[in-house]
Amino acid sequence: MMHTFSWQIAAFSLPKTTIKTTNSITTISVIEVATFNPHLTARLTTLKLSSSPLSAETQPPTQSFDETCDVLVLGSGPAARAIASLLSTNLDVILADQNYYRSWPPNYGVWEDEWEAIRTLYKDSFSHDLPDDCIDRRWSVTDCYFGGSFDIPTEQRFRIDRPYYRIDKYALQKALSPKDNGEYRIVKANHVSQAINVNLYSPANSLVHDELGSTIQLQTKEKENVWVRSKLILDCTGHETKLVLKDAKIKSIPPGFQIAYGALVTVDETDVIDKTCIGPYDKEAMTLFDYRTDHFDDDDDGDKKENMLKKAEKAPTFMYAMPLKDNRIFFEETSLVARPALSFQDCKDRCFRRLDHLGIKVVDIEEEEFCYIPMGGPLPAKDQRVVAFGGASAMVHPSTGYNLCRNMMGAGAVAKVIIEGLKGDGTPPNLDKVAANAYHAMWSPSNIRQRNFAVFGGEFLMKQNVEGLRGFFDGFFRLPMELWSGFLAGWPGLPNNDKHETWFARLYFGLTFVSKLPPKVALDMLFSIITYSVKEGIALPQSVTPFLGEPDSYLYVERPKNQGDVAAKNEARRMISESKIENVIPVPFEEEENVKDITGSAGTEAKDVLVKI
């Protein structure tokens, strides 16, 4: 295979240079003129460089590319389309995904005030409209059931006066798709690279960064290569990205996993007298939590029933119910967070056992959903040129699994800094700085501290049995709404997040929350705070005190330059030029303009041989 190299030679008469290349070894032989002796002496220097041969298929074009753009967005989920839509208001954007036209599988539920805050941001800051038809259903109230523990009657309903929306995923997907030539372009191809170190990728040359941008190899489903040249790359390929490395320098806990089985169903209401409800679920309310386990009390084989109940109490799940029109309703049996993840089959079995117990007769299943959401885990490593966004940047709420509103609100801040960085003042931008600023827009030290507080919340929830979770959430929703809603938001720009943005605000929240909990759960939380802080280090104490500083920042840090003492070097050159004994200027004292390309004039005095591979 042919390998291409470039080299520069300092000015002197070069007697002989040979380059021999095989499939795996390149040998460069140079007759090097020594400068350590007044009498010029020649010696042979041989460099052997191991290199893997590149096939013609994996070598990028030398002068042209299939596509060029300002920003390349990888992925086509809500996070990818949101950031691509906002960036394309000012930049040339390509969105790449082999499965671009595939419908989004999940059902999305959001709080009304959070969605309206996002709509306002998109319209006012980016002139991007999210139309009314993105909302499939609105409920003015939200219901919960925490009965069965702490003297709470099983049938007792906990009603929350906060409206909730069901997103029309098809309408939202359309709203975040190109409508004319002024918006992002689509390439139906995926990347083929995997990060092996910071800014290094396998296979070789499949993704290469330089000071002016990045060249990346994409591949279609038909295995055709598409080479794209972009100033910046955003990775929105999800939680288990292959392009972005996680931070191994900061101590972190592995992610937990939210698992859910969902079904959009039609129910039989032939014998139902009160058609304002489906079972216990009010059609005019969205049911956020039903943590009851009385559906395991039905007549059944004794040992089997006891085992199922014990398992459900130890590894709890809850029902999430969205009544739609007439007798259509979306049910989802959810394991909030667990490590390892709960079985999908367990969630499905519990879902239909619960419905059967409640007398809800399913006559048709329109859709099934299998929800898998990693929560928590490490943040991206610093100093990466590829910018992770959405799940790839661990933006999912570590305690709740909420992510749609966090991603869509976060897209605004990230898009603003990228547009500002790439548009600039007309001079070539520092792309490492642009990427660092994008990460900082997601993970400022302040936001990392807030996240660390929520990570502890996820770990605490993970260790609770069903009794603990009932007590936890019963106390949680008895807090003032601005406090609990701010915790659920957990992202700058979302309503009431300001109630959690400072260490004092989080400390106040924590102390107030503990006072609302049943004593048993409160004591467990206090004990968990102590043991977690001892085991996991300063992350939690740092989030609620002013004493332990800030987490490391993602902001760009200028690297120290290799610079000598200019005055001393100038003095040495002057003294050598005046010397009657020494007339050769050593390499460290040379001025840069004295180094010429091999095609330039070759002087009679030897200076040095520089070889770049």
Side-chain angles (χ1 to χ4, degrees), residues 263-554:
L264 176 58
V265 305
T266 302
V267 301
D268 183 3
E269 292 187 315
T270 304
D271 299 325
V272 175
I273 298 175
D274 182 5
K275 289 185 171 56
T276 63
C277 296
I278 296 178
Y281 306 125
D282 189 338
K283 289 184 179 180
E284 298 304 316
M286 183 271 170
T287 298
L288 186 64
F289 288 112
D290 183 352
Y291 262 119
R292 297 175 293 183
T293 54
D294 55 325
H295 49 296
F296 293 104
D297 295 337
D298 293 344
D299 292 336
D300 205 336
D301 178 74
D303 291 339
K304 179 181 178 181
K305 179 179 72 174
E306 185 176 353
N307 290 337
M308 292 176 66
L309 178 60
K310 286 183 177 179
K311 187 174 181 180
E313 289 176 338
K314 184 179 180 180
T317 58
F318 65 89
M319 177 62 82
Y320 173 98
M322 290 179 159
L324 303 177
K325 185 177 181 181
D326 300 326
N327 59 338
R328 294 174 68 246
I329 183 169
F330 177 75
F331 289 117
E332 191 167 67
E333 191 77 22
T334 304
S335 166
L336 181 60
V337 58
R339 188 173 53 239
L342 192 67
S343 158
F344 279 106
Q345 189 63 53
D346 280 344
C347 289
K348 183 174 182 177
D349 291 344
R350 293 182 191 183
C351 175
F352 288 105
R353 184 181 181 96
R354 188 190 298 270
L355 297 182
D356 185 61
H357 168 76
L358 295 173
I360 299 173
K361 299 177 182 179
V362 174
V363 295
D364 182 52
I365 300 176
E366 297 179 38
E367 295 179 4
E368 286 190 311
E369 177 180 310
F370 299 87
C371 178
Y372 169 86
I373 304 176
M375 296 163 54
L379 293 175
K382 297 174 178 63
D383 299 323
Q384 297 185 90
R385 177 71 73 82
V386 174
V387 177
F389 183 73
S393 193
M395 290 174 66
V396 174
H397 196 298
S399 296
T400 67
Y402 276 124
N403 62 86
L404 180 66
C405 287
R406 291 162 66 92
N407 289 340
M408 293 190 68
M409 182 60 75
V414 175
K416 285 179 181 178
V417 299
I418 291 176
I419 291 169
E420 180 181 345
L422 294 186
K423 299 290 277 189
D425 57 4
T427 60
N430 181 332
L431 297 176
D432 289 319
K433 186 174 183 180
V434 175
N437 287 345
Y439 274 114
H440 181 76
M442 290 177 274
W443 297 121
S444 66
S446 175
N447 210 17
I448 294 173
R449 291 174 78 177
Q450 186 175 350
R451 180 184 189 266
N452 289 340
F453 186 76
V455 168
F456 165 74
E459 292 297 308
F460 181 75
L461 290 169
M462 211 179 302
K463 60 177 280 195
Q464 299 302 302
N465 60 19
V466 71
E467 180 186 49
L469 290 176
R470 290 168 182 161
F472 179 96
F473 284 111
D474 183 76
F476 182 82
F477 289 113
R478 293 184 188 279
L479 288 166
M481 186 180 295
E482 62 269 18
L483 288 185
W484 65 255
S485 65
F487 179 83
L488 294 184
W491 198 265
L494 292 177
N496 296 313
N497 188 68
D498 58 303
K499 307 300 188 297
H500 293 263
E501 289 180 341
T502 67
W503 69 265
F504 182 79
R506 290 187 289 272
L507 181 62
Y508 175 76
F509 166 82
L511 294 174
T512 307
F513 183 25
V514 169
S515 71
K516 302 290 185 181
L517 294 173
K520 182 178 179 180
V521 181
L523 287 173
D524 187 17
M525 179 172 284
L526 293 173
F527 179 74
S528 296
I529 290 171
I530 296 170
T531 56
Y532 181 90
S533 299
V534 170
K535 181 181 178 182
E536 303 301 336
I538 68 170
L540 179 59
Q542 187 184 60
S543 72
V544 292
T545 69
F547 305 118
L548 298 171
E550 296 277 5
D552 292 341
S553 172
Y554 279 89

Side-chain angles (χ1 to χ4, degrees), residues 81-96:
R81 296 195 192 213
I83 192 77
S85 296
L86 301 188
L87 287 170
S88 63
T89 59
N90 283 273
L91 299 171
D92 180 19
V93 178
I94 290 176
L95 185 145

